[in-house]
Amino acid sequence: MNLNISSFTSDEKAFLEPNNDIIVTALVVIGFVVFAMILSKTFIAFNDNSQALENYEHAAMIAKDIASYPSLQGSRPELISAEALDRIASPVADEERYLLFHHFSANMDFYVEAGTDDGNYKWIIEQGTVSQQGRDVIAASLPVVIELGSNARCVPGTITVKIMQNKWK
Amino acid sequence: MKKRTEVKTTISAFSVNTKELTGDNSAWTDLILSKTALVFATVVVLAAVYSLAASSSDIVKKNELEVITLDLTSNIDSIGSIHSNTDKPATIYFFDTSSRQLIDNSKLKISVSGEYVSSTFADNGRNMSAVRTLSYRTLPFSPDEFRNMLNGKFAADGNINHPVHSLFPYTDVTDFLAIAAADDLSLNTSKGVRIEKTSVFVTDGNEVNELEYILVYQ
């Protein structure tokens, strides 16, 4: 072993020395490239997540707004009347539906689904036909209590808002 | 070793003191070449690190601009989402300058229109911008301007006592207001922005309906 080391240290041909720098430089460059890649990947992931969160919060705000819309309220403000949902989802209630959708911006394309959790009742409130073809759908659901009929039977349900957005190209 | 001999031969062709060079076995030419390469590589890596740091400051500025735009947009939207039968919700929004690190108020331009809030920041000749769409129908007018506009066009200011005469789906009123709201209103960032909900009452002769709008003005 001692013999080997001494033959290595006493080697004056400088065979390895100049190449050391190249190896070290290559390592530094590779390290930097990997660092930059990780950094940009993290940033892209953060950007995507924050955009998704922003979109979700947007949809959740609209769902909350619709859940507290005065025309849909039941006998108490925290209840949603099934009768009102029947009325507003029916094809003849054009004007009432128009007023519900009108206070939202004209460039928002969305529809509302309401239903009881047991799956017995489901309502879809939409204005015109909303095209989903090749578009991103952002949805947010809100738990609500739906008042069925006049005997004040209340069942748990959800209100879901689905916003259609054109995809980024 | 062959390479080294070639280098030595080339140098000896141009140099007067060829013996000194060819007789030198300490490999200094290799050393100088590799050190020069190392200096170049270091310069390149440092330049890359510097440009990364510069671009990260751009990202921070862009993020701040997005936050400023989003904050105003969400304040406008939150007024739109309040349903109150008694009072119309209203607030005064002030731009938060204390939490900003890189964005200077004097170089910041914020405007609002019926469709979106947009911010532009002029940074050394380059413009950065952020845009957020509004969720509710918004008009960049003061209540007086708004009522005067309606009065001028429909001979009724749209109050509960003077509803505008219009038939469902009220396109004459909504289109008129949408076109009027298409122009941007530039906001002064050192002053408060007033945001309030208002209604235009429309009637077809039998019943009166309410169209809700948000007014943004200074």
Side-chain angles (χ1 to χ4, degrees):
Chain A
M1 193 67 179
N2 273 342
L3 189 74
N4 282 343
I5 290 171
S6 76
S7 73
F8 181 74
T9 49
S10 61
D11 178 16
E12 289 188 342
K13 285 184 287 183
F15 180 72
L16 202 62
E17 200 278 332
N19 300 331
N20 261 348
D21 294 345
I22 296 166
I23 294 164
V24 169
T25 315
L27 279 177
V28 168
V29 170
I30 291 167
F32 180 73
V33 168
V34 170
F35 169 73
M37 270 168 63
I38 291 171
L39 203 71
S40 66
K41 219 164 187 181
T42 313
F43 176 71
I44 290 166
F46 166 76
N47 216 18
D48 283 354
N49 285 350
S50 61
Q51 202 179 1
L53 185 68
E54 203 181 304
N55 285 335
Y56 170 75
E57 280 179 351
H58 193 201
M61 185 194 72
I62 293 168
K64 215 171 153 188
D65 183 326
I66 287 174
S68 63
Y69 189 66
S71 303
L72 295 180
Q73 277 172 12
S75 56
R76 292 199 306 273
E78 65 272 20
L79 301 177
I80 287 185
S81 156
E83 229 172 291
L85 284 170
D86 272 340
R87 197 179 57 242
I88 208 162
S90 72
V92 290
D94 260 357
E95 194 163 348
E96 209 170 337
R97 224 171 17 247
Y98 176 86
L99 292 172
L100 169 70
F101 282 94
H102 175 268
H103 71 285
F104 295 104
S105 171
N107 49 25
M108 295 237 314
D109 218 355
F110 71 97
Y111 68 94
V112 184
E113 279 179 11
T116 53
D117 285 351
D118 55 17
N120 288 340
Y121 300 94
K122 192 178 175 187
W123 298 269
I124 293 178
I125 309 166
E126 58 185 337
Q127 199 184 21
T129 45
V130 181
S131 159
Q132 286 190 31
Q133 199 81 43
R135 302 173 87 189
D136 285 334
V137 180
I138 302 148
S141 293
L142 195 74
V144 288
V145 181
I146 297 175
E147 190 179 35
L148 295 173
S150 54
N151 56 355
R153 192 162 71 88
C154 295
V155 289
T158 46
I159 277 193
T160 307
V161 166
K162 291 188 177 177
I163 304 176
M164 256 58 68
Q165 260 187 4
N166 290 334
K167 280 186 177 163
W168 288 101
K169 284 172 188 165
Chain B
M1 291 308 280
K2 194 183 173 188
K3 201 177 174 185
R4 190 173 296 171
T5 324
E6 278 172 13
V7 172
K8 280 175 186 170
T9 322
T10 324
I11 291 168
S12 65
F14 294 101
S15 175
V16 186
N17 300 322
T18 47
K19 275 188 183 173
E20 269 181 39
L21 282 176
T22 49
D24 180 18
N25 281 331
S26 59
W28 66 268
T29 317
D30 271 357
L31 187 77
I32 286 173
L33 279 176
S34 69
K35 294 297 174 199
T36 315
L38 196 65
V39 168
F40 275 122
T42 313
V43 168
V44 169
V45 170
L46 282 178
V49 171
Y50 179 76
S51 73
L52 196 76
S55 68
S56 82
S57 99
D58 276 358
I59 290 169
V60 172
K61 277 181 199 165
K62 176 84 178 151
N63 270 352
E64 270 186 33
L65 200 62
E66 300 268 354
V67 168
I68 292 166
T69 319
L70 187 63
D71 197 36
L72 176 59
T73 311
S74 57
N75 269 277
I76 296 174
D77 284 349
S78 67
I79 288 292
S81 65
I82 301 171
H83 295 291
S84 166
N85 293 329
T86 49
D87 296 326
K88 286 287 174 199
T91 186
I92 301 176
Y93 173 81
F94 289 97
F95 291 98
D96 177 20
T97 48
S98 59
S99 61
R100 287 186 212 158
Q101 292 174 332
L102 298 170
I103 291 219
D104 181 12
N105 235 3
S106 61
K107 293 177 184 169
L108 179 67
K109 282 181 189 161
I110 300 182
S111 62
V112 61
S113 79
E115 309 262 314
Y116 54 83
V117 173
S118 101
S119 308
T120 311
F121 178 63
D123 182 31
N124 297 331
R126 285 185 307 132
N127 278 347
M128 275 182 202
S129 57
V131 178
R132 286 287 180 284
T133 51
L134 291 161
S135 307
Y136 293 89
R137 293 210 187 230
T138 306
L139 304 169
F141 307 122
S142 69
D144 292 343
E145 260 182 289
F146 174 60
R147 297 294 169 195
N148 287 341
M149 271 170 51
L150 287 173
N151 223 347
K153 175 79 178 171
F154 302 104
D157 63 6
N159 268 321
I160 183 81
N161 300 324
H162 301 103
V164 174
H165 187 84
S166 176
L167 297 175
F168 178 75
Y170 322 116
T171 38
D172 48 349
V173 180
T174 54
D175 285 359
F176 168 69
L177 290 174
I179 292 164
D183 291 336
D184 286 357
L185 168 75
S186 289
L187 300 175
N188 182 345
T189 48
S190 49
K191 277 168 69 180
V193 182
R194 290 176 180 272
I195 306 164
E196 64 179 65
K197 206 170 185 177
T198 192
S199 298
V200 181
F201 290 91
V202 285
T203 179
D204 56 0
N206 296 321
E207 60 175 330
V208 177
N209 278 315
E210 185 182 6
L211 303 175
E212 288 183 338
Y213 284 93
I214 302 168
L215 299 180
V216 178
Y217 62 99
Q218 282 189 312

